[in-house]
Amino acid sequence: LAIEKIPGIAQSGVVLSRVLKGKELDVATPDTVLHLGDIIHAVGSIEKLKDVQIIIGKPSDVDLKSMPSSVTTRRVVVTKKGVLGKTIEELDLDAYGVAVTRVSRAEIEFTPSPSVRLQFADTLLLVGEADAIADSEPIGTMLLAEGKVRNISDQAKDAPYSLEYCCAVILN
């Protein structure tokens, strides 16, 4: 069953950010299909997590955030006019494999629903692969301009990485 088709998940106030399928850890997106035995990282209030647990399954002792993987987090402050007033859903970060797991507004942090409208100075916690976050629009553009994230192709242009990147490509 795809995450977006889980009954009540969109209205639950819980965000699923990571999924472990066997030994592979990925970002959870609405299109991610969950199977028996998958482990997910859910973000939300204790009450809402308990409600979702009834639908999804029992808690796991596996800490997906501490597992080595290419999945990372970045915080970005909303300042770009093109983002102001848009909803999380309208950003369409899922298309890049990026999830917004928390929003901080006026020193209050909450788990956003897809319908949350962004305001100036909101801080978003993004979960995704570094390249996916850097390449996402319009958030990636903001992060790249601020020097907070760089994609692999940008890093490959800088010494001493240009030679290492070239060798890595040839060896792979």
Side-chain angles (χ1 to χ4, degrees):
L1 185 63
I3 289 174
E4 67 186 350
K5 299 204 177 186
I6 296 171
I9 196 73
Q11 300 80 25
S12 69
V14 171
V15 175
L16 306 182
S17 64
R18 296 170 173 89
V19 60
L20 179 65
K21 295 177 164 289
K23 293 183 179 181
E24 188 174 331
L25 182 65
D26 285 315
V27 176
T29 67
D31 298 333
T32 301
V33 176
L34 298 177
H35 297 96
L36 190 62
D38 289 350
I39 299 173
I40 57 171
H41 182 80
V43 179
S45 69
I46 292 173
E47 301 87 32
K48 294 183 180 195
L49 288 169
K50 286 182 181 180
D51 291 344
V52 169
Q53 178 183 332
I54 295 168
I55 300 165
I56 296 177
K58 64 181 181 177
S60 169
D61 292 331
V62 178
D63 181 5
L64 299 185
K65 292 190 324 183
S66 68
M67 293 184 69
S69 83
S70 58
V71 177
T72 187
T73 60
R74 292 286 186 273
R75 289 193 181 271
V76 61
V77 179
V78 175
T79 57
K80 194 172 182 181
K81 281 185 181 181
V83 177
L84 299 176
K86 287 193 175 188
T87 64
I88 302 283
E89 186 173 40
E90 288 172 331
L91 293 178
D92 197 28
L93 296 175
D94 298 330
Y96 296 92
V98 177
V100 179
T101 61
R102 290 177 196 82
V103 173
S104 296
R105 179 178 292 161
E107 297 188 29
I108 297 172
E109 187 172 88
F110 59 93
T111 306
S113 69
S115 62
V116 167
R117 292 204 176 273
L118 299 178
Q119 298 178 6
F120 184 80
D122 281 353
T123 301
L124 310 180
L125 180 63
L126 307 176
V127 176
E129 293 190 6
D131 274 4
I133 292 171
D135 292 340
S136 64
E137 284 295 335
I139 298 298
T141 303
M142 290 169 37
L143 287 167
L144 287 166
E146 295 169 10
K148 291 184 178 178
V149 68
R150 301 179 68 213
N151 59 26
I152 290 172
S153 60
D154 287 340
Q155 292 175 26
K157 296 173 188 170
D158 298 337
Y161 303 110
S162 55
L163 186 58
E164 291 175 13
Y165 182 73
C166 176
C167 292
V169 170
I170 292 170
L171 292 174
N172 287 333

